[in-house]
Amino acid sequence: MDVLLVDPDDPALNIKAAIRAAASGDMILMDPNDTENLQLGLIDDDGAGPGMAIGPDPIGKAINPAFINQANEVVAFHRQLTESGW
């Protein structure tokens, strides 16, 4: 799942690859039958129940922890570029 080193000499390419991977809905949720509604802030657990709030609690249960780690890496990488004036 580590896509940040697509090309160590091209930071823009690395960011684009990370964004493409992070944008895949299949990677966000662990169960492909689950859906997310970002506007309502809910994860629908295959239609069972009222849905659960998106937040730290569903990480590892419904939200793929590898996706969260990858998103954190993208944010950290972007922060480094911003701070360096790139």
Side-chain angles (χ1 to χ4, degrees):
M1 185 99 103
D2 185 17
V3 296
L4 292 179
L5 296 177
V6 172
D7 182 347
D9 297 323
D10 189 347
L13 184 61
N14 292 335
I15 289 175
K16 289 176 186 174
I19 290 170
R20 273 195 309 274
S24 168
D26 295 336
M27 296 178 61
I28 297 170
L29 300 175
M30 295 175 69
D31 184 342
N33 295 317
D34 292 350
T35 58
E36 77 279 348
N37 184 327
L38 300 179
Q39 290 179 335
L40 295 178
L42 295 174
I43 296 170
D44 181 17
D45 187 12
D46 197 17
M52 65 182 94
I54 295 174
D57 290 340
I59 296 173
K61 299 173 189 150
I63 297 174
N64 184 349
F67 174 83
I68 299 301
N69 292 337
Q70 186 175 34
N72 288 333
E73 289 177 20
V74 170
V75 169
F77 190 75
H78 179 266
R79 188 173 292 130
Q80 289 174 358
L81 291 176
T82 303
E83 290 171 357
S84 70
W86 184 77

